[in-house]
């Protein structure tokens, strides 16, 4: 019996447990809330908001305030300085550092022992459970997992306390047995210099039997391209003939899918989306034919949702959501996040089971002129224009160009192409037209070009976005390009760099 079969048998009981997501969603979530409140009652936060008086969801929503990161930051900073039982009943020594995708200020998300076990690692286990359920002929555990990680550094001067990318925290705390099945070496995986790490990863893994990949699509593609360069192969099938699945997350996969399909030609290759963030592991694609994800309901995460299309939005628990509505997501977790506004927006495609798609971020959109363009629109619009023109988009960002003296305004897109369209004007027209089909507000503002003029595309030079990330010390790890913004801060920086020649190494 091969190792994959043994692991598959071990996961059978969990696969049966996951069936409750189809029938018992509300019950699972109520149980999670009760458990979190019981554990949080004796923390300083729990005493301040009198968790002992919470006997129902209505009590919870009434007594405990909604919180942004800025509002929890003073509590978290005390924890980082070594205080116990502040937001969670323990001394927390790990903090996931997130740049935040909408501003330059770093966020430090507590990662507790319970959070590691009952959120992050459970998500990884369930990803395997769903994958093997859908692919019973898999041999993924008979080879190695190529897992990209970030780096970490000391947390203030507190002994044995560290801050870093969530991926680095997971690698540091992984079960030693599981660690035997992954590449590269731990020392390499935790290197802080991404360019040096990319080179070392490629050299360490090129002769390994890699069967599966895990990471952010953009950074993984950079590593895979280097593997091809070193090997001289045309496709990864020649390097790793048993490669069968990529567990991806962090950013939308749509702009990268065609690039992956170009370098991985094997018909057995599968792509499985995961929704994992510094704050927790929330969703998994459980069906290759359905791009929506299952919301994972029995982890240490209690979900609430705020409708974005309501003038007087009322927060609802999971059992109060409706399909095809855009919601901002709020979470309560065993990492000490209480009614925390995560900043992501989602839309449910069905209930029982609760399946959803990520539509963007609450601060990650363009609404300078009432057009309410969200990331989901942008990703689908780009995919359509690429399909029609044969182009491939590597990276992009977009922002408004505000009204001039003629009351003309438009959206400006800065795009780095992996494969350029033959006619950039046609690409722009196709993108603009499809955005109007996807978004009635955008269509109304574009009507007869009275309010909003046709969008503009500026072609970015090669590696512009990587150079920008490097200049901001954000190359590699889980850092992301700001895709859409109401501000021109990021795009103006990028345009200035685009006009300059890249510096010689």
């Amino acid at each position: 019996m091969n190792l994959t079969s043994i692991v598959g048998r071990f996961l059978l009981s969990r696969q049966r447990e996951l069936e409750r997501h189809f029938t018992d969603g509300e019950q699972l979530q109520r149980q999670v809330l009760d458990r979190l409140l019981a554990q949080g009652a004796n923390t300083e936060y729990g005493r301040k908001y009198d968790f002992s008086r919470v006997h129902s969801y209505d009590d919870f929503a009434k007594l405990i305030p909604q919180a942004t990161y800025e509002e929890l930051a003073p509590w978290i900073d005390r924890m980082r300085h070594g205080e116990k039982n502040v937001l969670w009943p323990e001394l927390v020594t790990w903090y996931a550092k997130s740049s935040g995708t909408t501003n330059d200020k770093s966020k430090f998300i507590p990662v507790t022992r319970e959070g590691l076990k009952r959120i992050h690692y459970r998500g990884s286990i369930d990803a395997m459970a769903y994958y093997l359920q859908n692919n019973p002929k898999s041999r993924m555990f008979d080879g190695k997992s190529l897992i990209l990680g970030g780096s970490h550094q000391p947390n203030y001067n507190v002994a044995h306390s560290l801050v870093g990318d969530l991926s680095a925290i997971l690698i540091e705390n992984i079960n030693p047995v599981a660690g035997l099945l992954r590449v590269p070496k731990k020392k390499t995986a935790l290197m802080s210099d991404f360019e040096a790490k990319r080179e070392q990863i490629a050299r360490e893994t090129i002769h390994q039997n890699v069967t599966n990949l895990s990471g952010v699509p953009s950074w993984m593609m950079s590593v895979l391209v280097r593997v091809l360069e070193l090997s001289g192969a045309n496709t990864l099938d020649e390097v790793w003939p048993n490669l069968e699945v990529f567990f991806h997350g962090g950013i939308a996969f749509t702009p990268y899918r065609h690039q992956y399909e170009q370098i991985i030609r094997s018909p057995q290759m599968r792509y499985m989306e995961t929704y994992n963030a510094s704050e927790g592991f929330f969703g998994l694609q459980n069906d290759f034919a359905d791009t929506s994800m299952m919301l994972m309901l029995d982890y240490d995460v209690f979900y609430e949702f705020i409708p974005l299309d309501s003038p007087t939005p009322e927060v609802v628990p999971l059992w109060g959501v409706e399909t095809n509505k855009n919601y901002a997501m709020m979470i309560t977790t065993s990492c000490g996040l209480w009614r925390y506004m995560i900043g992501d927006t989602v839309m449910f495609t069905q209930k029982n089971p609760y399946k959803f798609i990520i539509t963007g971020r609450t601060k990650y959109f363009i609404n300078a002129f009432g057009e309410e363009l969200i990331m989901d629109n942008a990703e689908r619009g780009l995919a359509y224009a690429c399909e029609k023109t044969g182009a491939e988009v590597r990276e992009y960002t977009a922002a408004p160009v505000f009204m001039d003296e003629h009351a003309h305004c438009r959206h400006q897109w800065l795009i780095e192409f992996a494969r350029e369209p033959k006619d950039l004007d046609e690409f722009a027209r196709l993108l603009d037209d499809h955005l109007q089909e996807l978004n009635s507000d955008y269509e109304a503002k574009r009507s007869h070009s009275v309010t909003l003029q046709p969008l503009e595309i500026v072609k970015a030079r090669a590696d512009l976005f990587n150079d920008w990330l490097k200049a901001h010390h954000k190359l590699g790890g889980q850092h992301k390009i700001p895709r859409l913004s109401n501000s021109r801060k990021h795009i103006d920086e990028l345009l200035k760099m685009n006009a300059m020649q890249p510096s010689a190494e």
Side-chain angles (χ1 to χ4, degrees), residues 226-282:
R226 186 58 184 147
V227 169
L228 288 176
E229 290 171 350
L230 288 174
S231 67
N234 293 315
T235 69
L236 279 175
D237 310 69
E238 301 171 44
V239 182
W240 299 321
N242 298 315
L243 182 63
E244 61 178 81
V245 61
F246 178 23
F247 299 98
H248 59 85
I251 60 176
F253 189 58
T254 302
Y256 300 94
R257 179 176 289 276
H258 186 67
Q259 296 174 54
Y260 276 88
E261 291 173 347
Q262 289 297 302
I263 66 171
I264 306 173
R265 299 296 181 90
S266 170
Q268 73 179 5
M269 187 65 187
R270 300 288 185 268
Y271 299 92
M272 185 169 174
E273 185 169 8
T274 64
Y275 180 14
N276 56 328
S278 298
E279 295 86 351
F281 201 119
F282 311 123

Side-chain angles (χ1 to χ4, degrees), residues 186-321:
K186 183 176 177 180
K187 181 179 179 181
T188 301
L190 297 176
M191 291 172 64
S192 58
D193 184 331
F194 179 74
E195 292 171 310
K197 175 158 63 178
R198 181 182 91 137
E199 183 71 19
Q200 189 63 28
I201 289 174
R203 293 185 181 278
E204 283 185 26
T205 60
I206 196 169
H207 299 299
Q208 297 279 351
N209 177 27
V210 173
T211 59
N212 59 99
L213 313 170
S214 295
V216 177
S218 53
W219 303 123
M220 183 63 76
M221 176 58 70
S222 181
V223 170
L224 300 184
V225 167
R226 186 58 184 147
V227 169
L228 288 176
E229 290 171 350
L230 288 174
S231 67
N234 293 315
T235 69
L236 279 175
D237 310 69
E238 301 171 44
V239 182
W240 299 321
N242 298 315
L243 182 63
E244 61 178 81
V245 61
F246 178 23
F247 299 98
H248 59 85
I251 60 176
F253 189 58
T254 302
Y256 300 94
R257 179 176 289 276
H258 186 67
Q259 296 174 54
Y260 276 88
E261 291 173 347
Q262 289 297 302
I263 66 171
I264 306 173
R265 299 296 181 90
S266 170
Q268 73 179 5
M269 187 65 187
R270 300 288 185 268
Y271 299 92
M272 185 169 174
E273 185 169 8
T274 64
Y275 180 14
N276 56 328
S278 298
E279 295 86 351
F281 201 119
F282 311 123
L284 282 167
Q285 187 178 354
N286 73 321
D287 183 348
F288 298 139
D290 183 358
T291 56
S292 61
M293 288 182 280
M294 293 277 289
L295 191 68
M296 307 312 294
L297 305 179
D298 61 352
Y299 298 0
D300 271 1
V301 183
F302 180 76
Y303 301 97
E304 295 174 271
F305 302 91
I306 305 172
L308 294 182
D309 57 357
S310 172
T312 56
E314 181 180 347
V315 180
V316 296
L318 178 71
W319 52 93
V321 301

Side-chain angles (χ1 to χ4, degrees), residues 156-173:
Y156 293 136
N157 293 316
V158 178
H160 312 297
S161 184
L162 296 169
V163 300
D165 294 315
L166 174 68
S167 53
I169 294 173
L170 297 179
I171 288 171
E172 280 284 13
N173 289 279

